Amino acid sequence: MAGAAIKATGEGAEAAEAERPLTDGFHLVIEALKLNGIDTIYGVPGIPITDLGRMAQAAGIRVISFRHEQNAGNAAAITGFLTKKPGICLTVSAPGFLNGLTALANATTNCFPMILISGSSEREIVDLQQGDYEEMDQLAVAKPLCKAAFRVLHAADIGIGVARAIRAAVSGRPGGVYLDLPAKLFARVMDADTAAKSLVRVIDPAPAQIPAPAAVARALDVLKSAQRPLIILGKGAAYAQADDDIRALVEKSGAPFLPMSMAKGLLPDTHPQCAGAARSTVLKDADVVMLVGARLNWLLSHGKGKAWGEPGSKKFVQIDIEPKEMDSNVEIAAPLVGDIGSCVAALVAGMGSKWPLPPAAWTSAVNTKKEENIAKMAPRLMNNAAPMDFYGALGALRAIIKERPDAILVNEGANTLDLARGVIDMYQPRKRLDVGTWGVMGIGMGFAIAAAIQTGKRVLAIEGDSAFGFSGMEVETICRYNLPVCVVIFNNNGIYRGTDVNLSAGADVATTVFVKDSRYEKMMDAFGGVGVRVTTPDELKRAVSAAMDSGRPTLINAAIDPAAGSESGRIGNLNPQSKLRKK
Ligand SMILES: Cc1ncc(C[n+]2csc(CCOP(=O)(O)OP(=O)(O)O)c2C)c(N)n1
Ligand SMILES: [Mg+2]
């Protein structure tokens, strides 16, 4: 192994012994990762992991250094989503660790497999709280925020520690894992042969979880009983990489389907059964809803309330790998517990060749609604007004993705997010990456960088001006690694809108307002990329096309009418209002 270069020093009779090859903690961590197919690490260097990054790079792992750990963590998280292997984020102790922790918690919430590996300070000093350099009991802090947390104290345990972390991240419902490596561990030396034997290759890290035949039969019975079936595809379905079986399930069933944000493109949004443009109709009127890797959380109004029509009017079939997910918000008539691929394959097999199509009254009612809504939207997307509104700008970007369906779209913001999700059709699986379950700002540049690195495809990041600010410094990282990322900032001078006024007589601007007409494109210029400012949809389309053709790091500052957005985008209903506030 790589550590064999180190020789023990000794004297006299111990000379032979001294020639025994040795290795150390640094090499063992790297070898353990490589043995398990880890080829990329995202992180920020510093004590005690600077050499670990260097040596990992020397050993052939791609080590991508970021400007802030949260962005490195987000890159690792989305790598997990895209590859089904844990993405690795490497951070320094206490503050670096905490910076990475938001991404780890977000990965766990979104069921993305990732491992946050963090160096930590000396246990003896930390535990006696004697004020070590970057002192923190990181394991205790991480534990409630991730799926599993481990600490390795002995070099001989590095292999097993890495193996446990990998298996914990990807098996069952995937999630974030914390691996604590105290500084002393890296320099610990051990006999190279013994060390090699201590490494663990994780066999079958995410074993198939086959659904019970009775549960499959029950699910099919419920689906068959439907007069108005609906299939909802969640990002769990996208993660599963069971694209052909999912398509077969949807097409055999003949049911309208609704993709959740990151499941868009599993089947094209232009598919005749896609009910994305008739969302409120299908949610309200369906009588049987089959959830495929989608949770009944806030994003689906918890499966109840006004959006879901008459109380008790629906039966749910739910496919999920996590048994606890069943009945989380409403009764599930047919729980199907297993991995999505196995469950969907079993359903397709059970449907046979004579599965009845849903009543035409249902599918044609959905289609009528859908066509009505699409027709209503069309002229808004064609408007070439300046200043641009969201729809005009998104109409241009929608055309770009239609022309380049294999490009990856990253998206965050409020209006910029909600409207782009609705307007931009996706055509291929796992091409839309966004704020996920938490609606978190700050994923933009980390996701974009990892998407470019993992897939080699063009990346288009559509960012609200506020959203961009959370990770904007990583444009330097994009330039440093010369990544084919085009960032488009929807610049409406603030959060939701740029027109708010300070309610007091004070001189400060309102809390949601930024510097007017900021020249974000100069940030990209500063690092050698292409910076462009555009004010019309035509200019926007031209600039993005050029960026997608060239693959050069590009930032397009798109001036959007500061009055065009609405408060909180499409989720203003979640925003508490003061009864006392004057309107
Ligand atoms: C980490 C985090 N902090 C704060 C928020 C609250 N938040 C939601 S959207 C948003 C920014 C919206 O503004 P912008 O990105 O400019 O989008 P716009 O609506 O203006 O298009 C903020 C700060 C959040 N979701 N996540
Ligand atoms: Mg904005």
Side-chain angles (χ1 to χ4, degrees):
M1 59 195 293
I6 306 172
K7 304 278 183 197
T9 51
E11 285 179 28
E14 288 158 11
E17 177 77 351
E19 280 307 302
R20 248 178 349 121
L22 296 180
T23 188
D24 63 13
F26 286 111
H27 289 90
L28 273 166
V29 172
I30 293 162
E31 291 303 319
L33 292 172
K34 282 183 73 176
L35 181 66
N36 286 290
I38 303 293
D39 54 15
T40 313
I41 294 175
Y42 306 96
V44 176
I47 297 172
I49 49 90
T50 314
D51 269 354
L52 185 66
R54 268 192 200 115
M55 290 158 82
Q57 189 174 51
I61 293 181
R62 188 135 195 231
V63 182
I64 304 293
S65 284
F66 280 70
R67 306 300 291 260
H68 189 290
E69 291 87 351
Q70 190 176 118
N71 307 319
N74 285 326
I78 210 64
T79 293
F81 172 74
L82 289 169
T83 66
K84 299 184 88 172
K85 286 196 290 188
I88 307 291
C89 176
L90 180 63
T91 70
V92 304
S93 3
F97 156 77
L98 286 173
N99 285 345
L101 196 56
T102 305
L104 187 71
N106 188 50
T108 306
T109 298
N110 283 283
C111 317
F112 300 153
M114 82 171 263
I115 303 173
L116 175 64
I117 301 180
S118 187
S120 59
S121 302
E122 301 309 336
R123 290 247 42 85
E124 296 82 348
I125 307 177
V126 172
D127 287 350
L128 271 171
Q129 297 165 42
Q130 293 173 310
D132 202 6
Y133 168 71
E134 297 191 347
E135 175 179 295
M136 176 176 279
D137 185 358
Q138 297 170 198
L139 188 72
V141 173
K143 234 176 216 168
L145 298 172
C146 57
K147 188 178 169 194
F150 305 104
R151 177 185 288 137
V152 180
L153 293 177
H154 301 293
D157 291 334
I158 287 173
I160 209 78
V162 168
R164 296 211 75 186
I166 290 171
R167 191 178 286 283
V170 295
S171 59
R173 170 176 282 178
V177 174
Y178 176 58
L179 186 61
D180 191 275
L181 303 181
K184 266 189 192 161
L185 179 75
F186 295 111
R188 288 212 199 280
V189 169
M190 75 181 280
D191 172 76
D193 291 337
T194 319
K197 290 189 194 114
S198 74
L199 295 182
V200 176
R201 188 203 305 269
V202 185
I203 310 295
D204 194 13
Q209 289 184 223
I210 312 292
V216 176
R218 190 192 296 118
L220 288 173
D221 282 349
V222 173
L223 189 60
K224 205 173 218 165
S225 74
Q227 295 300 301
R228 298 179 304 282
L230 169 67
I231 295 176
I232 299 183
L233 303 173
K235 65 177 166 320
Y239 175 80
Q241 297 192 18
D243 307 334
D244 293 345
D245 277 336
I246 287 170
R247 191 180 185 119
L249 170 72
V250 171
E251 291 186 342
K252 257 190 178 183
S253 77
F257 75 91
L258 202 60
M260 299 301 287
S261 199
M262 283 176 64
K264 275 166 72 80
L266 259 179
L267 286 85
D269 285 331
T270 49
H271 190 282
Q273 286 167 260
C274 181
R279 188 176 193 273
S280 36
T281 301
V282 288
L283 287 186
K284 187 160 62 57
D285 294 341
D287 64 348
V288 168
V289 179
M290 177 180 268
L291 301 154
V292 185
R295 294 171 287 185
L296 281 177
N297 56 22
W298 72 277
L299 287 157
L300 283 170
S301 313
H302 306 280
K304 54 197 170 191
K306 226 170 80 198
W308 287 90
E310 285 298 304
S313 64
K314 302 194 183 344
K315 284 189 173 164
F316 287 97
V317 179
Q318 183 162 24
I319 307 178
D320 204 288
I321 200 164
E322 174 58 63
K324 286 205 302 270
E325 194 57 45
M326 305 299 159
D327 308 321
S328 63
N329 286 272
V330 296
E331 179 184 287
I332 302 300
L336 194 51
V337 174
D339 70 275
I340 305 275
S342 300
C343 290
V344 171
L347 288 172
V348 171
M351 288 167 98
S353 55
K354 298 197 186 74
W355 189 264
L357 290 178
W362 170 236
T363 41
S364 63
V366 175
N367 283 338
T368 307
K369 190 73 205 167
K370 179 172 140 180
E371 280 156 21
E372 217 176 276
N373 286 343
I374 290 174
K376 240 189 263 168
M377 180 65 80
R380 305 180 76 175
L381 300 178
M382 312 260 293
N383 90 73
N384 201 31
M388 287 185 274
D389 63 15
F390 286 94
Y391 291 101
L394 287 169
L397 298 179
R398 179 183 202 254
I400 299 268
I401 294 296
K402 189 172 183 187
E403 286 161 12
R404 302 165 193 272
D406 66 335
I408 296 193
L409 179 74
V410 173
N411 191 197
E412 59 178 335
N415 294 278
T416 303
L417 174 85
D418 293 342
L419 300 178
R421 183 197 297 119
V423 166
I424 299 182
D425 288 330
M426 303 304 296
Y427 302 87
Q428 295 179 13
R430 294 170 295 283
K431 300 297 186 197
R432 185 183 157 86
L433 311 175
D434 68 27
V435 301
T437 311
W438 267 351
V440 66
M441 297 298 110
I443 49 87
M445 298 305 103
F447 278 17
I449 289 167
I453 284 174
Q454 292 298 326
T455 69
K457 306 280 187 205
R458 299 287 197 258
V459 177
L460 175 62
I462 306 178
E463 302 273 313
D465 52 340
S466 165
F468 171 73
F470 287 75
S471 67
M473 191 62 210
E474 303 296 347
V475 295
E476 188 275 327
T477 311
I478 292 170
C479 290
R480 185 166 12 112
Y481 295 101
N482 193 25
L483 299 173
V485 174
C486 172
V487 181
V488 174
I489 298 182
F490 275 16
N491 186 1
N492 61 352
N493 295 344
I495 298 175
Y496 314 138
R497 268 191 309 265
T499 50
D500 269 14
V501 287
N502 183 342
L503 296 175
S504 82
D508 292 346
V509 295
T511 57
T512 53
V513 164
F514 295 156
V515 167
K516 298 225 175 304
D517 305 325
S518 295
R519 302 297 300 271
Y520 292 104
E521 74 280 11
K522 295 189 177 181
M523 288 177 69
M524 195 51 112
D525 279 343
F527 302 112
V530 179
V532 191
R533 182 167 185 273
V534 300
T535 56
T536 67
D538 285 345
E539 283 173 18
L540 175 60
K541 172 108 200 292
R542 271 198 299 278
V544 178
S545 292
M548 299 304 253
D549 285 343
S550 73
R552 288 189 63 197
T554 301
L555 191 155
I556 299 165
N557 182 7
I560 302 282
D561 180 354
S566 50
E567 175 102 354
S568 305
R570 285 274 168 92
I571 54 173
N573 57 313
L574 301 179
N575 199 30
Q577 298 288 316
S578 167
K579 296 224 168 17
L580 307 178
R581 191 176 144 189
K582 289 195 211 92
K583 293 276 172 200

